[in-house]
Amino acid sequence: DTAVSQTPKYLVTQMGNDKSIKCEQNLGHDTMYWYKQDSKKFLKIMFSYNNKELIINETVPNRFSPKSPDKAHLNLHINSLELGDSAVYFCASSQFRGSGASYEQYFGPGTRLTVT
Amino acid sequence: QKEVEQNSGPLSVPEGAIASLNCTYSDRGSQSFFWYRQYSGKSPELIMFIYSNGDKEDGRFTAQLNKASQYVSLLIRDSQPSDSATYLCAATTGGFKTIFGAGTRLFVKA
């Protein structure tokens, strides 16, 4: 009964390759996120989808493309991987409650991406 | 640039003591504030959330919010070695966007 799941957990690949990370949540939430956590542990938002619509798109290279086929899934595709893409990528979900506030986010286990 | 600032630590406290973690935020429009705990190699997990000025208590944890000072804190009473982790402060600004601080590393010495 995992709440937010991600696959794969580990991803080792070479520069220039294309890879995808998948995320699924069974909490019935309407908002999902992708975060990148670098080696200094700083957690930075990349994208957010609300009801399958892209609502946050931070300054992320266009090599990164999120896709949300439905409210429960949010995938991240990365083209032409670079050394600097090495990080832990977390998926999260929450239920938006309007009025500029939100509920807490639930995080997936993370995908450790290593680009060699 | 909207920011959430935390002292990176490490903060070291003896077992049984009170650990005090602090956080400031720059966006006065922020409405929701969260404390997450992250063990090494694990994902962040929610400890506390607070929306209103004042204190909110949950077991050994107390979150404090002062919107006038743009200040959020987390107190951990009777600290245990199992509390040793990185604590992330977060503020939701503009509805969907949550800004995280860089985290404070806490060590509780047995």
Coordinates of all heavy atoms in Angstrom, one line a residue, chain A residues 31 33 35 37 41-43 45 50 55-56 58 90 96-97 99-105 107-109, chain B residues 29 31-32 34 36 38 41-46 49 51 88 92-98 100-102:
Chain A
T31 N -2.4 17.0 -7.1 CA -1.2 17.8 -7.5 C 0.0 16.9 -7.3 O 0.2 16.2 -6.3 CB -1.0 19.1 -6.6 OG1 -2.2 19.8 -6.7 CG2 0.1 19.9 -7.1
Y33 N 4.5 16.6 -8.1 CA 5.7 17.4 -8.3 C 6.9 16.6 -8.6 O 7.0 15.4 -8.2 CB 6.0 18.1 -6.9 CG 4.9 18.8 -6.2 CD1 3.9 18.1 -5.5 CD2 4.8 20.2 -6.3 CE1 2.9 18.8 -4.9 CE2 3.7 20.9 -5.7 CZ 2.8 20.1 -4.9 OH 1.8 20.8 -4.3
Y35 N 11.1 17.1 -7.8 CA 12.1 17.8 -7.2 C 13.4 17.2 -7.5 O 13.6 16.0 -7.7 CB 11.9 17.8 -5.6 CG 10.8 18.6 -5.1 CD1 9.5 18.0 -4.9 CD2 11.0 19.9 -4.7 CE1 8.5 18.8 -4.4 CE2 10.0 20.7 -4.2 CZ 8.7 20.1 -4.0 OH 7.7 20.8 -3.5
Q37 N 17.3 16.9 -5.8 CA 18.1 17.2 -4.6 C 19.5 16.9 -5.0 O 19.9 15.8 -5.3 CB 17.6 16.3 -3.5 CG 18.3 16.6 -2.1 CD 17.7 16.0 -1.0 OE1 17.5 14.7 -1.0 NE2 17.4 16.7 0.1
K41 N 22.2 18.4 -0.7 CA 20.9 18.1 -0.1 C 19.9 19.2 -0.3 O 18.9 19.2 0.3 CB 21.1 17.8 1.4 CG 22.1 16.7 1.7 CD 21.8 15.4 1.0 CE 22.8 14.4 1.3 NZ 22.6 13.1 0.5
F42 N 20.1 20.2 -1.2 CA 19.2 21.2 -1.4 C 18.1 20.7 -2.3 O 18.3 20.2 -3.4 CB 19.8 22.4 -2.0 CG 19.0 23.6 -2.1 CD1 18.4 24.2 -0.9 CD2 18.6 24.2 -3.3 CE1 17.6 25.3 -1.0 CE2 17.8 25.3 -3.3 CZ 17.3 25.9 -2.2
L43 N 16.8 20.8 -1.8 CA 15.7 20.3 -2.6 C 15.0 21.4 -3.4 O 14.5 22.3 -2.8 CB 14.7 19.7 -1.5 CG 13.6 18.8 -2.0 CD1 14.1 17.5 -2.5 CD2 12.7 18.5 -0.8
I45 N 12.3 22.6 -6.5 CA 11.2 22.1 -7.3 C 11.6 22.3 -8.8 O 12.2 23.3 -9.2 CB 9.9 22.9 -7.0 CG1 8.7 22.3 -7.6 CG2 10.1 24.4 -7.3 CD1 7.4 22.7 -7.1
N50 N -1.2 20.0 -11.7 CA -2.4 20.0 -11.0 C -3.5 19.5 -11.9 O -3.8 20.1 -12.9 CB -2.8 21.3 -10.4 CG -4.2 21.4 -9.7 OD1 -5.1 21.9 -10.3 ND2 -4.2 20.8 -8.5
I55 N 1.6 23.4 -14.0 CA 1.3 24.7 -13.3 C 2.6 25.3 -12.8 O 2.7 26.5 -12.5 CB 0.4 24.6 -12.1 CG1 0.8 23.4 -11.2 CG2 -1.0 24.3 -12.6 CD1 0.0 23.4 -9.9
I56 N 3.7 24.6 -12.6 CA 4.9 25.1 -12.3 C 6.0 24.5 -13.2 O 6.1 23.3 -13.4 CB 5.3 24.8 -10.8 CG1 4.4 25.4 -9.8 CG2 6.8 25.2 -10.5 CD1 4.6 25.1 -8.4
E58 N 9.9 25.4 -13.5 CA 11.0 26.3 -13.0 C 12.0 26.3 -14.1 O 11.9 25.7 -15.2 CB 11.6 25.7 -11.7 CG 10.7 25.9 -10.5 CD 10.4 27.4 -10.2 OE1 11.3 28.0 -9.7 OE2 9.3 27.9 -10.5
F90 N 13.1 13.4 -6.6 CA 12.0 13.0 -5.8 C 10.7 13.4 -6.5 O 10.5 14.5 -7.0 CB 12.0 13.6 -4.4 CG 13.0 13.1 -3.5 CD1 14.2 13.7 -3.3 CD2 12.8 11.8 -2.9 CE1 15.2 13.2 -2.4 CE2 13.8 11.3 -2.0 CZ 15.0 12.0 -1.8
F96 N -4.3 20.2 -3.2 CA -4.3 21.6 -3.1 C -5.6 22.0 -2.4 O -6.7 21.4 -2.7 CB -4.3 22.2 -4.5 CG -4.3 23.7 -4.6 CD1 -3.3 24.4 -4.0 CD2 -5.3 24.4 -5.2 CE1 -3.3 25.8 -4.0 CE2 -5.3 25.7 -5.2 CZ -4.3 26.5 -4.6
R97 N -5.5 23.0 -1.6 CA -6.8 23.4 -0.9 C -7.1 24.9 -1.1 O -8.0 25.4 -0.5 CB -6.6 23.2 0.6 CG -5.6 24.1 1.4 CD -5.6 23.8 2.8 NE -4.8 24.7 3.6 CZ -5.3 25.4 4.6 NH1 -6.6 25.3 5.0 NH2 -4.5 26.3 5.2
S99 N -6.8 29.1 -2.0 CA -6.6 30.3 -1.2 C -5.1 30.5 -0.9 O -4.7 30.9 0.2 CB -7.3 30.3 0.2 OG -8.7 30.1 -0.1
G100 N -4.2 30.1 -1.8 CA -2.8 30.3 -1.6 C -2.2 29.4 -0.6 O -1.0 29.5 -0.2
A101 N -2.9 28.3 -0.2 CA -2.3 27.4 0.8 C -2.4 26.0 0.2 O -3.1 25.7 -0.8 CB -3.1 27.5 2.1
S102 N -1.6 25.1 0.7 CA -1.6 23.8 0.3 C -1.4 22.8 1.5 O -0.9 23.2 2.5 CB -0.6 23.5 -0.8 OG 0.7 23.5 -0.2
Y103 N -1.9 21.6 1.3 CA -1.6 20.6 2.2 C -0.2 20.1 2.1 O 0.6 20.4 1.2 CB -2.6 19.4 2.1 CG -4.0 19.8 2.4 CD1 -5.0 19.7 1.5 CD2 -4.3 20.2 3.7 CE1 -6.3 20.0 1.8 CE2 -5.6 20.5 4.1 CZ -6.6 20.4 3.1 OH -7.9 20.7 3.4
E104 N 0.2 19.3 3.1 CA 1.6 18.7 3.1 C 1.8 17.8 1.9 O 0.9 17.3 1.3 CB 1.8 17.9 4.4 CG 0.9 16.7 4.5 CD -0.4 17.1 5.2 OE1 -0.8 18.3 5.2 OE2 -1.1 16.2 5.7
Q105 N 3.1 17.7 1.5 CA 3.4 16.8 0.4 C 3.9 15.5 0.9 O 4.6 15.4 1.9 CB 4.5 17.5 -0.4 CG 4.0 18.8 -1.1 CD 5.0 19.5 -1.9 OE1 5.9 18.9 -2.5 NE2 4.9 20.8 -2.0
F107 N 6.3 12.3 -0.2 CA 7.4 12.1 -1.2 C 7.5 10.6 -1.5 O 7.3 9.7 -0.6 CB 8.7 12.6 -0.6 CG 8.8 14.1 -0.6 CD1 8.2 14.9 0.3 CD2 9.5 14.7 -1.6 CE1 8.3 16.3 0.3 CE2 9.6 16.1 -1.7 CZ 9.0 16.9 -0.7
G108 N 7.9 10.4 -2.7 CA 8.4 9.0 -3.1 C 9.7 8.7 -2.6 O 10.4 9.6 -2.0
P109 N 10.2 7.5 -2.8 CA 11.5 7.1 -2.2 C 12.7 7.7 -2.9 O 13.8 7.6 -2.4 CB 11.5 5.6 -2.4 CG 10.6 5.3 -3.5 CD 9.5 6.4 -3.5
Chain B
G29 N 3.7 36.7 1.5 CA 2.5 36.1 1.1 C 2.4 34.6 1.4 O 1.4 33.9 1.2
Q31 N 1.7 31.2 3.2 CA 0.6 30.9 4.1 C 0.7 29.6 4.8 O 0.2 29.4 5.9 CB -0.7 30.9 3.3 CG -1.1 32.2 2.7 CD -2.5 32.3 2.2 OE1 -3.3 31.3 2.5 NE2 -2.9 33.3 1.5
S32 N 1.4 28.6 4.2 CA 1.6 27.3 4.8 C 3.0 27.0 5.1 O 3.9 27.3 4.2 CB 1.0 26.2 3.9 OG -0.3 26.5 3.4
F34 N 5.9 24.2 6.7 CA 6.1 22.7 7.0 C 7.5 22.4 7.5 O 8.4 23.1 7.1 CB 5.9 21.9 5.7 CG 4.6 22.2 5.0 CD1 4.5 23.2 4.1 CD2 3.4 21.5 5.3 CE1 3.3 23.5 3.4 CE2 2.2 21.7 4.7 CZ 2.1 22.8 3.7
Y36 N 9.9 19.1 7.6 CA 10.1 17.7 7.1 C 11.4 17.2 7.8 O 12.4 17.9 7.9 CB 10.3 17.6 5.6 CG 9.0 17.9 4.8 CD1 8.6 19.2 4.5 CD2 8.2 16.8 4.4 CE1 7.4 19.4 3.8 CE2 7.0 17.1 3.7 CZ 6.6 18.4 3.4 OH 5.5 18.6 2.7
Q38 N 14.5 14.4 7.2 CA 15.0 13.5 6.1 C 16.2 12.8 6.7 O 17.3 13.4 7.0 CB 15.4 14.3 4.9 CG 15.9 13.5 3.7 CD 16.2 14.2 2.5 OE1 16.4 15.4 2.5 NE2 16.1 13.6 1.3
G41 N 19.9 9.2 2.9 CA 19.5 8.2 1.9 C 18.0 8.0 1.8 O 17.6 7.1 1.1
K42 N 17.2 8.7 2.6 CA 15.7 8.5 2.5 C 15.0 9.8 2.0 O 15.7 10.8 1.8 CB 15.2 8.2 4.0 CG 15.9 7.0 4.6 CD 15.5 5.7 3.8 CE 16.0 4.5 4.5 NZ 15.7 3.2 3.8
S43 N 13.7 9.6 1.8 CA 13.0 10.8 1.4 C 12.5 11.6 2.5 O 12.4 11.2 3.7 CB 11.8 10.3 0.5 OG 11.0 9.4 1.3
P44 N 12.2 12.9 2.3 CA 11.6 13.8 3.3 C 10.3 13.2 3.8 O 9.5 12.8 3.0 CB 11.5 15.1 2.6 CG 12.4 15.1 1.5 CD 12.4 13.6 1.0
E45 N 10.0 13.3 5.1 CA 8.7 12.9 5.7 C 8.2 14.1 6.6 O 9.0 14.7 7.3 CB 8.8 11.6 6.5 CG 9.8 11.7 7.6 CD 9.9 10.4 8.4 OE1 8.8 9.7 8.5 OE2 11.0 10.0 8.9
L46 N 7.0 14.3 6.5 CA 6.4 15.4 7.2 C 6.4 15.2 8.7 O 6.1 14.1 9.2 CB 4.9 15.7 6.8 CG 4.3 16.9 7.5 CD1 4.8 18.2 6.8 CD2 2.7 16.8 7.3
F49 N 3.1 20.7 10.4 CA 2.7 21.9 9.5 C 2.0 22.9 10.4 O 1.3 22.5 11.4 CB 1.8 21.4 8.3 CG 0.5 20.8 8.7 CD1 -0.6 21.6 8.9 CD2 0.4 19.4 8.9 CE1 -1.8 21.0 9.2 CE2 -0.8 18.9 9.2 CZ -1.9 19.7 9.4
Y51 N -0.2 26.8 10.0 CA -0.8 27.9 9.2 C -1.0 29.2 9.9 O -1.0 30.2 9.3 CB -2.1 27.4 8.5 CG -2.1 26.2 7.8 CD1 -3.1 25.2 8.0 CD2 -1.1 25.9 6.8 CE1 -3.1 24.0 7.3 CE2 -1.1 24.7 6.1 CZ -2.1 23.8 6.4 OH -2.0 22.6 5.7
L88 N 14.1 19.9 7.2 CA 13.8 20.9 6.2 C 12.6 21.7 6.5 O 11.6 21.2 6.8 CB 13.6 20.1 4.8 CG 14.6 19.1 4.4 CD1 14.1 18.3 3.2 CD2 15.9 19.8 4.0
T92 N 4.9 27.4 1.6 CA 4.1 27.4 0.4 C 3.8 28.9 0.0 O 3.2 29.6 0.8 CB 2.8 26.6 0.5 OG1 3.2 25.3 0.8 CG2 2.0 26.7 -0.8
T93 N 4.2 29.2 -1.2 CA 4.0 30.6 -1.6 C 3.3 30.6 -3.0 O 3.7 29.8 -3.9 CB 5.4 31.3 -1.7 OG1 5.2 32.6 -2.3 CG2 6.4 30.6 -2.5
G94 N 2.3 31.4 -3.2 CA 1.6 31.4 -4.5 C 0.8 30.2 -4.7 O 0.5 29.8 -5.9
G95 N 0.4 29.5 -3.7 CA -0.5 28.3 -3.9 C 0.2 27.0 -4.1 O 0.3 26.2 -3.2
F96 N 0.7 26.8 -5.3 CA 1.2 25.4 -5.6 C 2.7 25.3 -5.3 O 3.2 24.2 -5.2 CB 1.0 25.1 -7.1 CG -0.5 25.0 -7.4 CD1 -1.2 26.0 -8.1 CD2 -1.2 23.8 -7.1 CE1 -2.5 25.8 -8.4 CE2 -2.5 23.7 -7.5 CZ -3.2 24.7 -8.1
K97 N 3.4 26.4 -5.2 CA 4.8 26.3 -5.1 C 5.3 26.3 -3.7 O 4.9 27.1 -2.9 CB 5.5 27.5 -5.8 CG 7.0 27.4 -6.0 CD 7.5 28.5 -6.9 CE 9.0 28.4 -7.0 NZ 9.5 29.5 -7.9
T98 N 6.1 25.3 -3.4 CA 6.7 25.1 -2.0 C 8.2 25.3 -2.2 O 8.8 24.7 -3.0 CB 6.4 23.8 -1.4 OG1 5.0 23.6 -1.3 CG2 7.0 23.6 -0.1
F100 N 11.7 25.1 -0.3 CA 12.4 24.4 0.8 C 13.7 25.2 1.2 O 14.4 25.7 0.3 CB 12.8 23.0 0.4 CG 11.6 22.0 0.4 CD1 10.7 22.0 -0.6 CD2 11.4 21.2 1.5 CE1 9.6 21.1 -0.6 CE2 10.4 20.3 1.6 CZ 9.5 20.3 0.5
G101 N 14.0 25.2 2.5 CA 15.3 25.6 2.9 C 16.3 24.5 2.7 O 16.0 23.4 2.3
A102 N 17.6 24.9 2.9 CA 18.6 23.9 2.6 C 18.8 22.8 3.7 O 19.5 21.9 3.5 CB 20.0 24.6 2.5

